[in-house]
Every structure is written in C-alpha cells, then in structure tokens.
C-alpha cells in the first residue's frame, strides 16, 4: 500500500556532506512519523534520526550536531542533511515511515524503504 524511495546516497570524503531524501507514496491517510535507520556491515540496524508529524525530532547520540532531519508534510517527504561525515557513518541508510492507511477503515503500519548506500572515505 505504501512505498518509500530513498535517494541521495553516495561516496564522500570525511568532513563532507550529503543530503538524503525519501518520498512516501501510496494510499496514505496520514504519516505519524518518518525517520532514518542505518546498518553497517556486521552491525545491527540503528535509528539515526526521526521526526514526528508535529516536528519533534530524535537523534542518535553519534550524529547529534552533525545531522539534521526535516520533512515536507505536503510532499510526504523526509530529508536527512548529513554534515561533517565520518568513516563510521558508512552504512546503508533506510527510510522509515509510521503510516496510517485506509483498507476498510484506517490502519497503522510501519514501512521500510530499500535503502541508499552512504560511504565515507578517510
């Protein structure tokens, strides 16, 4: 019912910046929250940042002060501005959305995008 498509990943040198985008489409009634997770090789997937429909944000301690999450509610799009990138930021970044959709009534579902690769060279 809902598709999430990420873009903006790539290869940058340490200290560089990238901006990730994720658009949600489908039979969406409302989006309660959107966010970004990442998973590095051999490591567990971790929450990077999230933002609620009301604008409340949450960041992993490792990215505070460097990453900024924002959203355009009209476009059902979330962004992650990543500055001062470090090699340890290298991972596949996944967009997530906590979405209410209409089937018979309205149900709430959590969706994952396919991920976009971010590689930071030293």
């Amino acid at each position: 019912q809902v598709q999430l498509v990420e873009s903006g990943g790539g290869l940058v040198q340490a200290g560089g910046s990238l901006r990730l985008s994720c658009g949600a489409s489908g039979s969406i009634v409302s989006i309660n929250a959107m966010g970004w997770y990442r998973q590095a090789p051999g490591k567990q997937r971790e929450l990077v940042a999230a933002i609620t429909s009301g604008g409340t944000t949450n960041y992993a301690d490792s990215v505070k002060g460097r990453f900024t999450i924002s959203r355009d509610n009209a476009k059902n799009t979330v962004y992650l501005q990543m500055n001062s990138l470090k090699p340890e930021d290298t991972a596949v970044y996944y967009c997530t959305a906590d979405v209410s959709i209409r089937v018979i009534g309205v149900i709430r579902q959590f969706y994952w995008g396919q991920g976009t690769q971010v590689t930071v060279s030293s």
Side-chain angles (χ1 to χ4, degrees), residues 5-6 16 32 38 43 66-67 70 73 88 100 102 107-108 120:
V5 180
E6 303 99 331
N32 182 253
R38 68 184 181 187
K43 296 184 178 180
R66 299 188 297 119
F67 292 9
S70 61
N73 290 338
E88 51 262 43
S100 293
R102 188 176 300 279
I107 63 172
R108 187 166 171 173
V120 185

Side-chain angles (χ1 to χ4, degrees), residues 8-57:
L11 174 64
V12 297
Q13 293 185 335
S17 298
L18 286 172
R19 191 190 192 207
L20 306 183
S21 299
C22 173
S25 62
S27 302
I28 299 170
V29 175
S30 63
I31 299 179
N32 182 253
M34 298 186 76
W36 295 91
Y37 281 73
R38 68 184 181 187
Q39 188 166 26
K43 296 184 178 180
Q44 291 184 294
R45 191 170 297 183
E46 64 173 344
L47 176 67
V48 178
I51 185 167
T52 70
S53 60
T56 301
T57 58

Side-chain angles (χ1 to χ4, degrees), residues 44-115:
Q44 291 184 294
R45 191 170 297 183
E46 64 173 344
L47 176 67
V48 178
I51 185 167
T52 70
S53 60
T56 301
T57 58
N58 184 39
Y59 296 93
D61 288 342
S62 61
V63 306
K64 287 180 179 177
R66 299 188 297 119
F67 292 9
T68 302
I69 189 169
S70 61
R71 65 186 288 181
D72 184 337
N73 290 338
K75 296 181 178 180
N76 290 333
T77 299
V78 65
Y79 306 94
L80 185 67
Q81 179 67 46
M82 305 185 294
N83 298 325
S84 302
L85 283 162
K86 304 174 181 179
E88 51 262 43
D89 294 318
T90 296
V92 176
Y93 284 71
Y94 297 91
C95 176
T96 62
D98 179 359
V99 178
S100 293
I101 61 173
R102 188 176 300 279
V103 183
I104 297 175
V106 175
I107 63 172
R108 187 166 171 173
Q109 299 275 82
F110 193 83
Y111 290 88
W112 292 85
Q114 293 298 305

